[in-house]
Amino acid sequence: MNSRFPLPVVLLCFLALVCRGAESPPPISASARTVVDFDFGWRFALSDSPMAMQPKFDDAGWRQVNVPHDWSIEGPFSASYGSGNGYAPGGIAWYRRHFQMKPADRGRFATLVLDGVYDNAEVWLNGFRVGGRPYGFESFSCDLTPYLKFGANDNVLSVRVDHSRFADSRWYTGSGIYRNVRLLMTDPLHLDLWGTFVTTPSVAAGSATVRVETAVENSSARSLTFSLQSDLVGSDGQVVASGTTPPGTVEAGQSQSLVQTLTITQPQLWSPDTPALYTLRSRVSAEGAVTDETTTVFGVRSVVFDPGHGCLLNGTSVKLKGVCVHQDGGSVGVAIPVPIWERRLREFKKLGINAIRTSHNPPGPEFLDLCDRLGFLVMDESFDEFTPAKNKWVVGWNQGVPGHFGYSDDFVDWSVRDVSDMVRRDRNHPSIVMWSIGNEIDYPNDPFTDPALGRDYRPGNPPGTDLVKWGRPLVAAVKQLDSTRPVTAAMASLTMSNAVGFAQILDVAGYNYQESRYAVDHQKYPERVIYGSENTHDLASWLAVRDNPIISGQFLWTGIDYLGEARAWPDRAMPDGLMDLCGFVKPLGRFRQSLWSSQPMAYLCVAKTARLPNPPNDTKMPTGTESWNWPGSTPLFVTCYTNCPDVTLTLNDQPLGTRHLAEAVGGVLVWPVPYAPGVLKAVGAKDGRTLCEFALTTAGPANRIELHPWAPELRADGKDVSQVEFDVVDAQGVRVPDADQELTFELSGPATILGLGNGDPANSEPVRGPAHRVAEGRGLAIIQSSTTPGQITLKVSAPGLQPAVLTLTSR
């Protein structure tokens, strides 16, 4: 990408590029790369067995599970657990997987890759410890090669997970092997894991320069002569550029880094509106055969953060219209099938969102793949704390005595390696535009302090200068691996961070809830790039971005309700999202849509009392319910969110007046309306021409259940899911907004119910059924396929309601 941050100048090896035509590639070696899915066939026990790493340990009675797997979401939830983790249990558990290796695999190099285990993972193969990771959000790998057995011999992979200190986070983390696992089998001469790095240092409409850095590793006992071929493939499958290095030598047990420069003519540029992707195909060859081949997806785009002009994408100014998101998926916990994230991200697109902040940890690789494909600008974040620890609330949010353990215990030994692995794993994603080394590390007195805080200074706390002490090595580690993107942090106290120099070690400064400092800090630090890294939902905080060209954008707290950081039992989630735990868009989301979407929209919600914001300092949003079911002739206040110039409100086709967007207060229009049953409708218009409509209809008595699948067909791969909305409706099919019946779920066919939820943050029912209540007349069932194709039938019933039957097909 283009950037004001310089490209790396230190290379292990530089080899000249030799262009080649359409000649036939060398044959593929029998020992070339194979990827084995290790998600299936695990045995699991939620207990600590000190000898479970031994191959002869008897695990025949253990439960059979597939991963990703999160045992915390299975409950039971209880007030005896910490509020920070959503009152979910933790514990110590073991996973074991038995497998065999073909004799032909002898001599190949075996790498186990685990995308995420929460937390304190330790891994053994056949009784030998092969690796582990304390940080539960980090992907890591283990070399299995020395300890593998071949032929009919049984190999036993054992993973111990220690989440016994379950209140170790300020939000829900889940427990277990909650991301994917795979075994990579390669020739001893292979491409290094995460060793390929693609950048586009020069981007123009007519051509783009693509820089490819590739690490080739020789795990054999002898030196080898090799060459590397790199092909750039367009979305149509055609090779658009190609190059091969001349023969080189890599010594036994060593790795060598090669740099190639390729040119794409008339490139398709990646952006949120046009997320065009290319694929790099890398082939390393030796002795006349291809010994390894990988593919790397990338995008051609330039990103520049400028102190006077904000964010420039492909030379054009763009505002980051972002949201912060945690990684749980409601009723499925943190073991999230890809379609759940895809549905949520597509809803974000409809709301006008173009940016995501991964709060406050590296996400799963599949999430970033979706951001690449769907077009989101991503701030990839590493940590929520340095050391010592932040407060971890147990009884309730900001209540009682907090715990003080977590990642801080491992920060000194692991943080540089963890942030480095985050960058190496994720740096080819075109969606990523910033690396964040931390969230609110500078929160006053939690734990750091400084005299600049005035009356709030607590001299007994760790000094704020430690922010720089711990932050500098992280910045250096990021820049060593990727100097094309800026390093940032989301700061809670610029008063302290400016005073101790923490903000000054960053390329881009993230301001959490400190819009009032934008102008004064820009004047004091004119070369500083400023953006809102965490912001409230009110209009004033957005206008501080929209109307100020120097501010790059903002990230709302938060995009989706998330488990944990709970106020007090029975609330298990933070309810401040644009969507609820089921992914249903809330009125708050529709308000954001009115500010950020370019598509005409109008939306109505209703409350008994008027609550208009008082800009610019009032951050409380008007609230309401998406319902036109009220008792008697209750006097109501109808709120309309719209981006249309004019909105006319009618009740049962009788006009109640026209409001103009120009007269909106806090971005909203409000009508006082005495309740009468029927149809309340908003018509958005411009110059007398209707652009859109939205209606609320009075629902009659609950009559039946309806099922609405997001995907009626599934892949029979054991991983795909259909997200099925279940609604309680009246005889005319109108959702009953106050329905709260308990429904019973019966599933037949090759599938399972992975999760049931209703979006209520205080709901503590089991997520796997067979019964679950609706909230506001609806909920969501997650149906997961097995590896067997066939018809799947879901029947949902409740006393006094007509049942619903849905048939899905798994192929």
Side-chain angles (χ1 to χ4, degrees), residues 376-550:
F376 287 92
L377 305 169
V378 175
M379 171 182 169
D380 201 353
E381 195 154 73
S382 52
F383 309 122
D384 186 51
E385 62 183 3
F386 290 175
T387 189
K390 281 184 177 180
N391 292 327
K392 315 295 193 315
W393 298 102
V394 179
V395 175
W397 188 59
N398 288 343
Q399 299 180 34
V401 178
H404 289 103
F405 46 81
Y407 182 69
S408 59
D409 298 337
D410 302 298
F411 179 86
V412 174
D413 294 331
W414 282 92
S415 60
V416 169
R417 181 175 176 182
D418 283 337
V419 77
S420 298
D421 282 354
M422 177 187 80
V423 174
R424 293 181 71 238
R425 190 198 72 173
D426 295 346
R427 59 188 172 175
N428 292 310
H429 290 281
S431 56
I432 295 176
V433 295
M434 287 185 281
W435 302 112
S436 170
I437 61 170
N439 168 67
E440 295 189 344
I441 308 300
D442 63 338
Y443 198 93
N445 302 306
D446 191 14
F448 301 104
T449 196
D450 187 80
L453 296 174
R455 294 184 190 177
D456 294 328
Y457 174 50
R458 298 179 187 174
N461 280 35
T465 52
D466 280 0
L467 294 167
V468 178
K469 170 186 174 182
W470 299 123
R472 279 194 187 279
L474 301 181
V475 173
V478 173
K479 288 183 172 295
Q480 182 178 7
L481 292 165
D482 177 17
S483 61
T484 70
R485 294 177 176 91
V487 179
T488 188
M491 290 174 283
S493 173
L494 268 299
T495 298
M496 179 163 60
S497 285
N498 285 339
V500 302
F502 182 60
Q504 289 86 326
I505 70 172
L506 305 171
D507 300 314
V508 175
Y511 284 49
N512 282 16
Y513 311 107
Q514 296 171 91
E515 293 86 355
S516 63
R517 297 192 62 99
Y518 289 169
V520 65
D521 277 15
H522 177 64
Q523 186 174 11
K524 188 174 182 180
Y525 307 99
E527 294 304 310
R528 177 177 293 178
V529 179
I530 299 173
Y531 71 101
S533 44
E534 193 167 312
N535 307 88
T536 59
H537 296 274
D538 65 288
L539 177 65
S541 66
W542 168 237
L543 296 182
V545 175
R546 189 196 70 181
D547 300 337
N548 194 339
I550 69 169

Side-chain angles (χ1 to χ4, degrees), residues 112 225 295 430 499 683 695:
L112 184 75
T225 300
T295 57
V683 178

Side-chain angles (χ1 to χ4, degrees), residues 192 227 481 509 711:
D192 190 18
S227 63
L481 292 165

Side-chain angles (χ1 to χ4, degrees), residues 11-17 211 256-261:
L11 301 174
L12 295 176
C13 179
F14 180 85
L15 294 178
L17 175 69
R211 179 184 184 275
Q256 191 172 116
S257 183
L258 299 85
V259 173
Q260 298 168 295
T261 302

